[in-house]
């Protein structure tokens, strides 16, 4: 009954790979936008759009993570209540 879920943590290599991948993708996009043969306002618009997309992606990831963590906390509280009730229950107690 007291099975506690194993907390999953990312390794340093996975974290480093994720940061490097993000940096390469953002850098490649910036270089691509800067090398476009178009007016400056078009490049500026695309740059703002990329920044908005990046901030929206971070916000979405945070919201999803927060919702998942909240669900785990509720589950743990419910499990603790059940374990307390079962520990206090005496099947031989007279009704």
């Amino acid at each position: 009954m007291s099975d506690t879920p194993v907390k999953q943590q990312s390794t340093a290599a996975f974290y480093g790979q994720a940061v490097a991948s993000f940096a390469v993708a953002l850098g490649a996009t910036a270089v691509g936008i800067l090398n476009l043969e178009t007016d400056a306002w078009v490049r500026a618009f695309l740059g703002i759009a990329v920044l908005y997309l990046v901030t929206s992606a971070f916000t979405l990831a945070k919201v999803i993570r927060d919702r998942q963590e909240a669900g785990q906390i509720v589950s743990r509280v419910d499990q603790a209540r059940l374990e307390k009730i079962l520990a206090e229950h005496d099947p031989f107690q007279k009704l």
Side-chain angles (χ1 to χ4, degrees):
M1 267 281 168
S2 62
D3 295 333
T4 56
V6 177
K7 188 173 182 178
Q8 298 176 353
Q9 291 188 353
S10 300
T11 63
F14 180 76
Y15 180 78
Q17 184 270 335
V19 170
S21 176
F22 175 76
V24 168
L26 191 60
T29 304
V31 169
I33 289 173
L34 290 174
N35 288 328
L36 282 175
E37 294 181 8
T38 185
D39 294 335
W41 72 269
V42 174
R43 289 193 302 261
F45 174 79
L46 291 174
I48 295 294
V50 167
L51 291 176
Y52 180 63
L53 180 65
V54 167
T55 58
S56 297
F58 277 112
T59 302
L60 177 63
K62 183 186 180 310
V63 167
I64 290 171
R65 185 200 63 207
D66 291 348
R67 181 175 285 182
Q68 179 186 13
E69 287 178 353
Q72 288 174 347
I73 290 172
V74 169
S75 175
R76 287 186 198 157
V77 169
D78 288 342
Q79 184 179 1
R81 285 181 185 158
L82 177 64
E83 287 179 2
K84 180 182 178 196
I85 290 170
L86 289 174
E88 292 175 351
H89 176 68
D90 184 7
F92 299 111
Q93 180 183 17
K94 291 184 181 181
L95 296 176

